[in-house]
Amino acid sequence: MEAPLIFRPDFGRGIGSGHVMRCLAFAQNWMAGGWPVSFVMSGQVAPLIERLVKEGIQLIEVETAAGTSEDAERMVEIATQQGARRVVLDGYSFNSAYQHRLKSAGLKVMLIDDCGYNDHCCADIIVNQNPHADSRLYSSREPDTRLLLGTEFVLLRNEFIDWENRRQKIRHRTNRVLVTFGGTDPQNLSAKALKSLRHLKVEGLSVILVGGRPENVGRLQDFKTTMVADIEFIPRTDNMCRLMAWADVALSAAGSTTWELAYMGLPSVIIAAAENQRPIASVLGDREMMLNLGWHESVTPRAIAGALDDLLQSVQLQRKFSNRAMGLVDGKGAQRLKNEILSEDINLRPVDLDDADLLLEWANDPGTRAASFSSEPISGSKHIRWLEKKLDDKDCYFFIAVDYQAIPIGQIRFDCEDRAAVISVSIAAQYRGSGLGSPVIMAASRKILRIAPVDRIDAYVRADNEKSRRAFINAGYAQRDDLLVDEQPALHLMYERS
């Protein structure tokens, strides 16, 4: 169904790797549907490139600087060569003219942003995953630009999503500190952090420093010989969640790592290392989810040591930070974003009698029958009578879901009564496992709430049908209760008008 998705993350000296890693998180989820991904990058760094290649991502190196008119032309050229329909931009250099050039070439544009735009935005979708995100940050935008704002769209990599037990265990004796200021640490805050260790009062201190500048390795050796502490330097890691699970507390910049710390429930001290991190640090500090030390230039090694001491010595404070932060990020941001994008391409056309053969073929598919409450095959004559009755029923809304090429991918039906609708859905066998179930359900559910006199939609799935349950949950349905349908254990899920 989908053409390649092209990412253009900004990366270079003074920027760090946050944009690239955030794009990687979304790329992983997109590729899970079997769809190809390309990253267009300039200023490549070997370890970062190795990680992307390992993930199966095609890399395209360009000489143009991100955000320039020459770069926009190069992106159009690459998208044309690859037959791509969509481009994802992540960075602060992609202004209105850049976005407009891509759209004028027929591309759909998604912009991942943190700061807001004074310039006019013409992207199709704008994503801002921060807790302070507000539509007023994008007051000048196209009427059809969609805003996806807030921490429900936080993008986490698979290593975090797949971690079995993310809830942090608060130990009685805490002395393990994880220090990370990103893959490149543009402000060299790792050096400040190392100096702070001399002032810590914690016995048996154990520290892991991840990333940062190579010159800090020498400083680390000096600290090892002069301090009673276990200190380890890890230049880069593909398994940050393992290190977060090991630690009792963390010291970090208030960038994209913040959401990983929140998801893992790791009590943290944060520092705003860039302008776009100031509001993030402020909100998390004000909500008492993390301990905010403020702007990096004004933070001293003694201030860092004092904050770490306070956190390490208070189990109560650790538990409060952990519980509150975990409630902020649920790990479903990439899935939600993919559903939003795919649902854009799904059109719903009314069913008519000419669809009878196709509907019967789908209905008698072994996978469909196995997931139904009635597993018996359906005869052609019975099916025609049933379909005619449904088409004559003014309270039945029956659609064929088609993709952007008008290829049928499934059917979806709503039977309405007393301001409620019961949903029935099936996806064509060749499209199962590609992640289209949730977008179809999402698109159809939103449509029915617009066109029919209903306030809620009820879904009933077999209790043993985990794939269907997950598809409804990912489409925004909430699981309500367990019950019996045709004397079989079933789950009741509900979608309500917001």
Side-chain angles (χ1 to χ4, degrees):
M1 175 186 174
E2 274 298 319
L5 185 63
I6 298 181
F7 290 81
R8 182 58 169 116
D10 201 357
F11 177 76
R13 186 171 180 82
I15 296 176
S17 58
H19 300 298
V20 177
M21 299 308 286
R22 184 161 59 182
C23 285
L24 171 59
F26 184 45
Q28 289 175 329
N29 192 283
W30 188 264
M31 289 189 295
W35 303 313
V37 161
S38 297
F39 273 46
V40 178
M41 293 179 61
S42 50
Q44 300 180 6
V45 174
L48 201 57
I49 298 309
E50 290 173 11
R51 174 68 191 271
L52 297 177
V53 171
K54 181 180 177 182
E55 295 285 344
I57 293 171
Q58 180 188 14
L59 295 175
I60 301 173
E61 186 173 3
V62 295
E63 300 295 330
T64 52
T68 62
S69 58
E70 294 82 7
D71 190 59
E73 294 299 331
R74 187 75 178 96
M75 284 295 293
V76 169
E77 179 184 339
I78 291 169
T80 302
Q81 290 171 348
Q82 298 212 348
R85 301 173 53 244
R86 298 184 183 277
V87 172
V88 178
L89 309 175
D90 192 335
Y92 314 127
S93 304
F94 306 108
N95 59 21
S96 180
Y98 192 102
Q99 298 169 37
H100 185 268
R101 177 65 188 101
L102 299 188
K103 285 182 64 68
S104 69
L107 295 168
K108 288 184 174 291
V109 178
M110 184 175 83
L111 174 68
I112 304 178
D113 179 58
D114 297 302
C115 304
Y117 264 65
N118 295 323
D119 202 2
H120 182 75
C121 276
C122 56
D124 298 280
I125 296 176
I126 299 174
V127 182
N128 186 325
Q129 64 181 10
N130 297 307
H132 61 278
D134 188 280
S135 61
R136 289 171 294 183
L137 293 171
Y138 310 98
S139 56
S140 179
R141 63 182 187 273
E142 292 295 301
D144 57 351
T145 294
R146 297 168 62 200
L147 301 180
L148 305 179
L149 310 178
T151 55
E152 65 180 304
F153 294 104
V154 164
L155 302 173
L156 295 179
R157 300 187 302 280
N158 285 346
E159 65 212 61
F160 291 94
I161 307 304
D162 296 339
W163 193 256
E164 290 185 0
N165 185 13
R166 67 187 179 102
R167 181 167 292 279
Q168 194 73 15
K169 293 181 180 179
I170 308 299
R171 301 189 307 141
H172 179 69
R173 180 173 178 266
T174 56
N175 57 2
R176 300 172 181 171
V177 180
L178 175 66
V179 179
T180 177
F181 292 101
T184 59
D185 189 9
Q187 309 299 342
N188 198 20
L189 290 175
S190 299
K192 251 184 198 182
L194 289 174
K195 291 178 182 178
S196 76
L197 299 181
R198 296 187 183 278
H199 305 291
L200 283 175
K201 303 172 184 177
V202 178
E203 293 184 6
L205 182 65
S206 184
V207 178
I208 292 180
L209 172 63
V210 180
R213 299 184 180 181
E215 59 262 31
N216 287 325
V217 178
R219 292 192 182 100
L220 201 63
Q221 297 303 322
D222 294 339
F223 277 102
K224 283 185 175 183
T225 59
T226 59
M227 291 183 63
V228 184
D230 178 22
I231 306 175
E232 180 182 358
F233 173 66
I234 300 178
R236 64 185 181 90
T237 178
D238 291 343
N239 199 354
M240 179 65 89
C241 54
R242 179 182 61 82
L243 300 177
M244 290 184 180
W246 164 86
D248 295 313
V249 304
L251 173 64
S252 172
S256 56
T257 303
T258 302
W259 312 124
E260 298 165 0
L261 295 167
Y263 180 76
M264 294 293 288
L266 181 57
S268 302
V269 176
I270 53 175
I271 299 172
E275 283 294 335
N276 65 295
Q277 296 179 11
R278 284 185 189 257
I280 298 173
S282 179
V283 169
L284 295 180
D286 291 346
R287 295 183 185 179
E288 296 186 319
M289 295 178 171
M290 295 183 182
L291 206 163
N292 173 28
L293 290 183
W295 184 237
H296 70 94
E297 290 180 349
S298 60
V299 175
T300 65
R302 284 191 179 274
I304 294 173
L308 289 174
D309 269 332
D310 290 344
L311 194 51
L312 283 166
Q313 294 177 23
S314 174
V315 171
Q316 182 179 1
L317 189 59
Q318 291 177 42
R319 187 168 289 115
K320 179 174 74 172
F321 282 179
S322 179
N323 291 337
R324 291 187 178 184
M326 283 188 71
L328 195 64
V329 181
D330 65 5
K332 298 179 181 178
Q335 182 65 47
R336 289 191 184 99
L337 186 52
K338 183 169 77 171
N339 290 344
E340 292 285 350
I341 290 176
L342 292 177
S343 66
E344 275 191 334
D345 281 342
I346 291 169
N347 293 306
L348 301 164
R349 65 165 178 81
V351 165
D352 60 36
L353 279 176
D354 290 339
D355 296 311
D357 290 344
L358 178 62
L359 290 171
L360 182 61
E361 177 188 338
W362 286 347
N364 279 331
D365 175 81
T368 302
R369 300 268 38 93
S372 301
F373 290 102
S374 175
S375 59
E376 293 298 317
I378 302 169
S379 69
S381 58
K382 180 179 179 180
H383 172 67
I384 289 293
R385 291 194 300 272
W386 171 86
L387 180 57
E388 289 176 337
K389 182 178 179 181
K390 287 297 179 183
L391 293 179
D392 288 338
D393 185 351
K394 64 180 178 61
D395 293 320
C396 176
Y397 296 79
F398 205 169
F399 305 101
I400 298 289
V402 300
D403 67 10
Y404 69 97
Q405 296 174 312
I407 297 173
I409 57 177
Q411 66 83 26
I412 191 159
R413 190 182 78 249
F414 298 92
D415 294 300
C416 304
E417 184 179 359
D418 296 332
R419 300 201 67 80
V422 176
I423 184 175
S424 173
V425 60
S426 65
I427 302 298
Q430 63 266 38
Y431 292 110
R432 290 179 201 147
S434 62
L436 291 175
S438 294
V440 167
I441 294 169
M442 177 185 291
S445 299
R446 289 175 175 175
K447 181 182 179 78
I448 204 67
L449 289 180
R450 290 195 307 269
I451 67 173
V454 296
D455 297 316
R456 80 165 197 270
I457 306 168
D458 298 304
Y460 301 95
V461 302
R462 288 173 48 140
D464 61 354
N465 191 345
E466 175 59 20
K467 289 183 179 179
S468 290
R469 186 195 74 86
R470 193 163 58 246
F472 278 101
I473 292 292
N474 288 337
Y477 280 66
Q479 188 168 327
R480 293 301 188 190
D481 46 27
D482 301 343
L483 70 168
L484 292 177
V485 174
D486 294 340
E487 300 183 350
Q488 299 176 64
L491 305 174
H492 174 212
L493 301 100
M494 186 184 296
Y495 187 95
E496 296 183 275
R497 189 186 300 277
S498 57

